[in-house]
Amino acid sequence: MQEHLHIHFIVTGGALVSSPTGYSWNPASHKFLFPALLLSNMFRNRFCFEIAKLWADDKLNTNDGALDVQDMLQQGLSKNWEVYIQPPLYDKEKLLEYLGRYIFRIAISNHRIVALGKDTVTFKYFDNRDDGKEKLMTLHVFEFIRRFLSHVLPDGFVRVRHFGLHNAGLRLKLQHARRVLGEPFELPAILKLKFLDWFKRSLVPMMTRVFASSVAKV
């Protein structure tokens, strides 16, 4: 629930190479994708450059001059920015499911909220400073809402961007990549679940179990 700005990337493990004879696939090494420290410095420099550009164009909200932009940029450029890379802990389906939570959920899941007081909210969290132990935190409702809304994207921002082969304008190249990798040329169709189908699959079985449990108790 605290502010911790970060970006998740799904990076294609290779490149589609075009030649006069057609396309081929150049796979990335299983032990190396790109230099993390170099990426860290490049991202830091680019980020600070864009902030400075907004400031120079008078498009940066400095809270009527209360924000010392020059000092902020100097501090930002003087620090090492962290880029953490590790092999995926799960298979690709589990990995996409994990990242999908960032797309369709905001800040906190309902099941983590354990109590509501008159002016407070109590929720579960994992304390990374204490070996990831699960603990409870109680916040005033205004502070809880402030932290929650800090995760809502401002107008004009999008939660997911697609580049390279995953860009909507490069579907044909994505199809060629699938072909050289031994997959069907046609892109898989995205299944659309209708409300009645979802209701039958999700709520009806749950209601049946609840009804059966109530009958058993009687």
Side-chain angles (χ1 to χ4, degrees), residues 12-201:
T12 303
L16 182 66
V17 180
S18 176
S19 68
T21 58
Y23 288 102
S24 62
W25 183 255
N26 185 17
S29 168
H30 291 288
K31 296 183 179 180
F32 180 84
L33 186 60
F34 49 75
L37 294 179
L38 178 60
L39 175 64
S40 174
N41 292 335
M42 292 177 64
F43 181 81
R44 176 198 62 195
N45 296 342
R46 185 67 183 182
F47 189 94
C48 291
F49 171 79
E50 294 296 336
I51 292 292
K53 185 178 178 181
L54 289 174
W55 184 36
D57 295 340
D58 199 26
K59 296 181 180 179
L60 185 66
N61 183 5
T62 62
N63 195 17
D64 295 328
L67 176 63
D68 190 339
V69 181
Q70 186 65 41
D71 180 66
M72 178 185 68
L73 291 173
Q74 289 179 352
Q75 289 191 47
L77 289 168
S78 66
K79 299 179 183 297
N80 292 324
W81 289 30
E82 180 178 358
V83 175
Y84 181 69
I85 299 177
Q86 70 174 28
L89 301 177
Y90 315 103
D91 57 29
K92 56 183 180 295
E93 285 80 10
K94 289 291 184 181
L95 182 61
L96 292 174
E97 179 184 349
Y98 168 78
L99 293 178
R101 299 171 191 168
Y102 288 87
I103 301 174
F104 300 107
R105 300 179 185 177
I106 298 178
I108 189 170
S109 302
N110 291 339
H111 74 273
R112 289 176 54 196
I113 300 176
V114 298
L116 300 176
K118 181 180 179 181
D119 299 312
T120 60
V121 178
T122 300
F123 58 92
K124 295 184 290 186
Y125 75 101
F126 297 99
D127 190 348
N128 293 327
R129 298 181 179 179
D130 191 12
D131 296 328
K133 293 181 180 179
E134 185 178 279
K135 298 182 180 181
L136 296 179
M137 178 180 294
T138 300
L139 297 175
H140 190 277
V141 62
F142 290 159
E143 174 61 16
F144 179 86
I145 293 175
R146 186 195 69 81
R147 294 191 184 188
F148 184 89
L149 291 180
S150 69
H151 291 74
V152 178
L153 291 177
D155 290 340
F157 282 68
V158 295
R159 190 172 297 276
V160 179
R161 291 184 180 272
H162 299 87
F163 296 91
L165 292 174
H166 302 284
N167 187 290
L170 296 177
R171 294 292 177 87
L172 182 57
K173 285 190 175 181
L174 178 59
Q175 289 178 282
H176 284 298
R178 289 173 55 84
R179 180 179 56 79
V180 298
L181 289 171
E183 298 291 332
F185 183 78
E186 295 297 328
L187 297 175
I190 300 177
L191 298 178
K192 295 183 178 180
L193 185 63
K194 297 181 179 180
F195 174 77
L196 288 179
D197 294 333
W198 171 82
F199 184 82
K200 292 177 182 179
R201 295 182 186 183

